[in-house]
Amino acid sequence: NDVVRALWDRELRNLFRLSSSPDADAQLVVLRDAGVDKDNSCFVMILTAPGFDRLADFLQDRAKCDWLRDVKQTEVRLPLWRGSHSLAQGLAHLHQQQMLHRALTAEVVLVDAARGPESMRLGGFEWTVKVGQSPDITPLGINATAPEFLTPSKQQHTFESDWYQFGCLLAQIFAGADSKLVEDATRHKELLARVRDAAKLTELEREFISSLLERRPELRLSRGFEIISAIGEIIVRLDQPARLIENSYLALAVLLGPNRKLTDAICELDETISALDTERQRLLIESDLETARLIARPGSQGGVYLLQGNRLVYFVKEYSEPGSQPSGQWDLAF
């Protein structure tokens, strides 16, 4: 009828605006075309994404999927967080357009199984609403909620409820919460306990997901830029090599002196330092590496890492005596 057709036209304008925005392809299932099938009395949308499998299907049987099977492993969680980062950017983009998702669950996240979690795209917003508009049509078949909906006077979708649903999605991915648990707002304490007791996650990960699941909307982490930044920090932390002991350190041997590459770089950085003054060079290196970041080099031969200091970047490998092979124990770095 004319009323539903008017709603349809309004949604198309919103979706085409979203699909034409920068980086939409990297974050969202985007609308390519739409029309009306008069013979079958249907509205038709053509949407595109890297894959067309639902994340919910993989979560039901993690054993079939290498990138979901063992989230205890940092190398498994890292791509999942990168994919979650894209989903958060997509949701934040919706909110920047003053649009509410209202139905964010694993059912509406599409993924290409062959490409892995970094191909995840956010969909399911075919019946989004603008802030301030009456939600004339409610998404069908999606049971997404938030604790505040248990209060009759607060049964209204908000940016905060969207981010709560995003937190529920992360609880499913990283803490193994099942769909029945996240869909039942009366089991909020149980869901929160599931996340906080997830020993396979770091404290940073647990605290972040818990902050999205805060029961009171006004205390909930719900600013898009803060959430995106927090996920970025988790990715950086997980990308660091593991430390066996909290206060452990690795001794670093450096080759200094005239015509040595590191000395040349230091003297170029600080012209007051002489190539013969190895002690001042050592002090500069020590200062430079106070907040260093260690980065693996994919595909590098011989286990070479990049050690990123504040002013210089160092190539680091395990030290071994001339003529001998590295042991793999990394008692000393060079």
Side-chain angles (χ1 to χ4, degrees):
N1 60 48
D2 291 341
V3 174
V4 177
R5 177 58 191 264
L7 290 171
W8 166 258
D9 290 339
R10 185 183 71 187
E11 297 309 319
L12 284 185
R13 287 193 295 272
N14 291 339
L15 293 180
F16 275 123
R17 188 183 303 114
L18 274 176
S19 299
S20 62
S21 59
D23 297 326
D25 285 343
Q27 304 162 0
L28 304 169
V29 177
V30 294
L31 180 65
R32 292 302 184 200
D33 202 356
V36 178
D37 182 347
K38 294 183 179 179
D39 294 337
N40 294 291
S41 300
C42 290
F43 297 123
V44 182
M45 286 182 177
I46 300 175
L47 303 108
T48 61
F52 50 85
D53 292 310
R54 298 180 306 171
L55 178 62
D57 296 333
F58 295 110
L59 290 173
Q60 288 177 1
D61 193 354
R62 290 172 178 263
K64 291 183 178 179
C65 195
D66 291 338
W67 45 267
L68 269 177
R69 185 177 297 130
D70 188 8
V71 294
K72 290 184 293 186
Q73 303 297 325
T74 300
E75 58 269 24
V76 172
R77 296 203 309 280
L78 189 55
L80 287 168
W81 277 115
R82 291 193 179 115
S84 301
H85 190 259
S86 293
L87 297 180
Q89 288 177 311
L91 183 57
H93 192 67
L94 249 70
H95 290 173
Q96 287 172 1
Q97 301 282 339
Q98 296 298 298
M99 298 166 68
L100 299 172
H101 191 290
R102 304 189 295 160
L104 203 168
T105 69
E107 298 280 343
V108 302
V109 174
L110 297 188
V111 60
D112 181 349
R115 291 177 54 181
E118 293 182 59
S119 68
M120 290 195 295
R121 298 293 184 270
L122 179 62
F125 42 80
E126 291 80 7
W127 293 109
T128 54
V129 294
K130 281 272 194 178
V131 174
Q133 288 181 344
S134 173
D136 306 277
I137 295 182
T138 301
L140 299 176
I142 300 295
N143 185 17
T145 186
E148 57 265 31
F149 291 179
L150 297 175
T151 304
S153 61
K154 294 184 178 181
Q155 291 183 350
Q156 183 175 353
H157 286 275
T158 61
F159 293 145
E160 289 79 11
S161 64
D162 269 359
W163 286 117
Y164 179 86
Q165 292 172 8
F166 179 69
C168 287
L169 177 65
L170 297 184
Q172 287 184 268
I173 295 173
F174 295 103
D178 60 47
S179 58
K180 293 181 180 179
L181 179 59
V182 301
E183 290 171 1
D184 189 351
T186 63
R187 300 174 66 185
H188 173 262
K189 287 185 178 179
E190 186 179 344
L191 174 63
L192 203 56
R194 181 67 178 263
V195 172
R196 290 174 173 167
D197 293 340
K200 54 197 169 188
L201 303 180
T202 64
E203 185 67 22
L204 186 64
E205 292 170 282
R206 290 194 297 268
E207 286 301 316
F208 170 68
I209 299 175
S210 297
S211 67
L212 291 169
L213 297 175
E214 170 63 47
R215 188 177 189 91
R216 295 169 60 186
E218 64 271 19
L219 300 179
R220 189 176 302 152
L221 185 62
S222 57
R223 293 186 180 183
F225 70 93
E226 291 181 347
I227 292 167
I228 292 168
S229 176
I231 296 177
E233 183 180 351
I234 290 172
I235 291 171
V236 169
R237 292 283 187 90
L238 293 182
D239 209 14
Q240 298 276 354
R243 293 197 301 179
L244 299 179
I245 305 172
E246 184 60 31
N247 295 318
S248 65
Y249 64 91
L250 179 67
L252 177 67
V254 293
L255 192 57
L256 301 173
N259 301 320
R260 300 297 185 185
K261 289 184 178 180
L262 183 51
T263 292
D264 290 344
I266 291 171
C267 293
E268 185 177 340
L269 199 64
D270 187 342
E271 294 180 353
T272 67
I273 298 179
S274 165
L276 297 173
D277 192 349
T278 55
E279 177 58 19
R280 283 193 67 190
Q281 295 172 42
R282 185 193 67 78
L283 289 172
L284 185 144
I285 295 170
E286 182 178 329
S287 173
D288 192 42
L289 296 177
E290 282 183 352
T291 57
R293 179 184 177 199
L294 193 60
I295 306 169
R297 300 178 66 206
S300 65
Q301 299 296 318
V304 178
Y305 288 80
L306 293 180
L307 188 59
Q308 182 178 326
N310 294 320
R311 305 171 76 185
L312 292 173
V313 178
Y314 309 76
F315 292 90
V316 180
K317 64 179 181 179
E318 182 187 355
Y319 176 83
S320 59
E321 294 291 337
S324 63
Q325 295 296 319
S327 66
Q329 299 301 313
W330 279 80
D331 297 318
L332 187 63
F334 175 71

